[in-house]
Amino acid sequence: MQIKLWGVRGSLPAPLTNREYRQKLFRVLSLASDYGLEGKEAVSDFMNSLPRELARISGGDTTCVQVTSDSGKIYILDCGTGIRNLGNVLMRGEFGKGAGEANILLTHNHWDHIQGLPFFKPLYVPGNKLNFYSPYKNQEAMLSRQMQAPHFPASFENTLSTKSFNYVDPFSGEPYELEEGLLVDMYPLTHPNGSFGYRFRQGGKTFVFATDAEFTGETLEKQGSDIEFFKNADVLVLDSQYTLEESFMKIDWGHTSYTMAVNCALRWNVRNLVLTHHEPDYDDRKLFENYRMALRHSADSGENSLRIYLAAEGMSFRL
């Protein structure tokens, strides 16, 4: 099972601004001066020496994650604007010939999690098959609504791919077998209008995706370490939109602080924690500052083997 992140922002897209670009460029050039950069042959070494917050960008697209099973089948979690670039890549293969098939799973229907679907090119190619899985019985209608006039020039119903909609009962207590050996189940998350986490299990490995979730000290104490859904996950991609201070000012907004995300991962014995659903007002410098504080908080929590990552577009994990 392989996981790839295509969109990691929350709430709305947040592309790099000219000001942020110039600030980043100034810092890079300042380091180049200190490095004593001479000649083009030294550029590559210099680039490899840059700190992580300057060597890459976190990205501005909203939530979209690709899961590729051991058999090669494609599962797409949420349709934020990150799905546009994913679609462009898929179009280079079978999807560009009208012979592709993908499975799309929705956590909920807030706009930042569906707004990229109208720009997903495989949607428009006849012969492509898109299988939607959702805990919402009216999922098709909700996707259709955002593409109705006057909001969008093309209707969802007139896109030429073949689509199927599959309702998955999130409260059945039974996992859903997406394919032989690949099980998925859901967990209700605390978020306005509701949201669901997804757990993928294949070949003895577990991947949990839980964005748009509000975990606090109170809920963690109430639920404790008894949430079997999260326990011992190999990779947990978890909402961590706020600082701890900001989360106190935004109670019931449905998002988690990076501090609590670390607490959750430690409580649940998670191996790899990926901090995601980044606040759109945070530039890369602020995000990496939060990331360093998350690492420090984990270290201050006592000896543990938790590995923490700051979600960035293009990041991937193989289980």
Side-chain angles (χ1 to χ4, degrees), residues 1-5 65-68 75 77 183-185 197-202 204-210 229 232-238 272 274 317 319:
M1 181 166 45
Q2 184 166 349
I3 301 118
K4 185 168 183 177
L5 310 182
V65 175
Q66 176 186 354
V67 177
T68 305
Y75 300 89
L77 283 159
L183 300 177
V184 65
D185 49 2
Y198 280 86
R199 178 174 62 172
F200 288 76
R201 288 176 288 173
Q202 185 176 44
K205 299 294 184 179
T206 302
F207 163 55
V208 177
F209 179 68
F229 183 87
N232 302 317
D234 293 288
V235 173
L236 168 63
V237 177
L238 182 60
N272 298 281
V274 184
F317 301 86
L319 300 180

Side-chain angles (χ1 to χ4, degrees), residues 53 285 287-297:
E53 64 264 36
R285 194 166 191 171
L287 289 177
F288 275 90
E289 178 186 325
N290 289 349
Y291 173 59
R292 285 189 286 268
M293 293 299 292
L295 293 174
R296 182 181 301 176
H297 179 64

